[in-house]
Amino acid sequence: MTEATASKQPGKAGTDSGDEANQYLTFSVAEERLAMPIDAVQEIIETPQITKVPMTPEHIRGVINLRGNVVPIVDLAARLNRGAATLSKRSCVVVVEVESNRSSYVFGMLVDEVKNILDIPSEDVRPAPTFGSDISTDFIQAMGRVEDVFVIILAINHVLSVQELAELKKMTEGANLGPTE
């Protein structure tokens, strides 16, 4: 399996120059262009074999074996009420780490395609709208203006609730998926 890793450079995003810009990974889900802060991204991998887990919500696609670790996979299209994602050659998994209630959670988000990393100046980042979007505003951290288009910046720590994160952690603890990939 080929792997592309997004590089994290602490202190690089949001430097203290006058043109303060933050870096965002952009990707598409159900024909919508979305973004997330690059510092939440651990790595980006080709879509691996996903093992379905019985009795999980529709938006939990299953789990993968990532170098011996069981990582739950969230179908981001399904989570955003866009129906289950259809896998293609460009589909990939964005592995993220979020913190909630002093615990750290790692999970993968299945996306249609990763686009690029953008520097969006702070003055071009606007608060999340209270209406007018097909996506629940709970998931929206902000709107980033790129040229004449807005990109939805996801609040990664709200994609899954604290309860869902705790359930995923229980589901993956002690799971054995066989040989390491």
Side-chain angles (χ1 to χ4, degrees):
M1 170 171 42
T2 306
E3 233 171 76
T5 303
S7 65
K8 289 190 196 179
Q9 296 180 0
K12 190 84 168 151
T15 60
D16 44 33
S17 68
D19 282 346
E20 187 172 319
N22 296 300
Q23 291 187 320
Y24 299 92
L25 176 70
T26 62
F27 51 93
S28 62
V29 172
E31 299 181 19
E32 182 121 30
R33 189 171 181 195
L34 304 172
M36 72 174 79
I38 193 69
D39 60 353
V41 177
Q42 280 196 335
E43 60 186 298
I44 301 163
I45 59 174
E46 289 181 355
T47 306
Q49 177 67 40
I50 299 173
T51 303
K52 186 74 175 142
V53 178
M55 300 176 56
T56 55
E58 181 184 337
H59 62 274
I60 304 299
R61 193 74 173 235
V63 295
I64 62 170
N65 180 350
L66 185 63
R67 292 183 294 284
N69 296 307
V70 179
V71 177
I73 302 298
V74 174
D75 183 333
L76 197 52
R79 183 65 178 133
L80 299 176
N81 294 323
R82 302 296 182 117
T86 303
L87 296 181
S88 74
K89 289 181 180 182
R90 294 180 185 236
S91 297
C92 58
V93 173
V94 179
V95 180
V96 297
E97 182 175 12
V98 297
E99 293 200 21
S100 180
N101 291 345
R102 294 178 294 211
S103 290
S104 180
Y105 302 93
V106 174
F107 62 94
M109 294 188 309
L110 181 62
V111 301
D112 296 338
E113 179 181 8
V114 168
K115 298 290 188 179
N116 54 15
I117 296 174
L118 292 177
D119 291 320
I120 303 176
S122 296
E123 63 269 10
D124 288 339
V125 176
R126 304 281 186 254
T130 55
F131 62 91
S133 176
D134 291 340
I135 298 174
S136 169
T137 56
D138 295 344
F139 301 150
I140 300 175
Q141 175 181 321
M143 303 294 290
R145 191 178 76 213
V146 179
E147 297 169 2
D148 291 333
V149 179
F150 277 103
V151 174
I152 296 170
I153 301 170
L154 292 179
I156 298 304
N157 57 337
H158 290 116
V159 168
L160 295 175
S161 69
V162 173
Q163 180 181 353
E164 288 173 315
L165 288 169
E167 288 172 11
L168 286 179
K169 192 163 196 158
K170 277 189 224 173
M171 177 178 78
T172 60
E173 287 175 348
N176 183 2
L177 294 179
T180 306
E181 289 183 24

